Each structure stands twice: as structure tokens, then as C-alpha cells.
Amino acid sequence: MTKNTLGLRIRHFRERKRLSLSEAARQIGCSKGHLWELEADIQDNPGLKILVAMCGVFGISLRTLLRGLVP
């Protein structure tokens, strides 16, 4: 996978699970607006709690979510 921003990676994994923005946000425990801002790369500093929750919902490891983002 060549998704090179956190937002694109989040969207990719959410869509792979076939979750709407609203449903993913509900399962993650954040607002739909916050998740949208993360996916749009408007907000690029999610807390660790949100990242860990995303990984649980998407069924991936934190390493997989962040792979390639940090040199």
C-alpha cells in the first residue's frame, strides 16, 4: 500500500472494513467531525487513545497504521 499520509491510511482502513464515517467514529469513540478532520489531514495529531481504538476497530496493529509515516 502506498498511502502516504495518516489521513489517507485511516480512510483506506475504514473503507476496507466498509464502515461509514459515522459508524467508525461511534466505534472508535470520537466525533464524526474529528474523524473527518483526521481523514482530510486537517487535524494531524490524534491522541494515542484514538489511534489504539482505530486499530482495534480496523483490526490492524498500530505499526500497520503508522507504517511509512515516520522516517
Side-chain angles (χ1 to χ4, degrees):
M1 177 172 53
T2 60
K3 307 292 183 193
N4 58 1
T5 69
L6 180 58
L8 289 173
R9 293 180 68 81
I10 292 169
R11 179 175 291 145
H12 166 78
F13 289 115
R14 176 180 60 80
E15 289 176 347
R16 192 173 82 173
K17 282 292 191 176
R18 296 187 173 135
L19 292 171
S20 68
L21 200 58
S22 297
E23 182 59 22
R26 186 189 68 73
Q27 290 184 29
I28 291 166
C30 68
S31 72
K32 177 182 171 183
H34 183 61
L35 184 55
W36 179 84
E37 287 179 349
L38 290 170
E39 287 190 0
D41 289 314
I42 294 168
Q43 212 299 11
D44 62 357
N45 192 19
L48 183 58
K49 182 179 176 182
I50 294 292
L51 291 175
V52 169
M54 278 182 194
C55 291
V57 170
F58 300 154
I60 59 172
S61 68
L62 190 56
R63 171 178 268 175
T64 298
L65 180 62
L66 301 177
R67 183 174 291 137
L69 296 177
V70 181

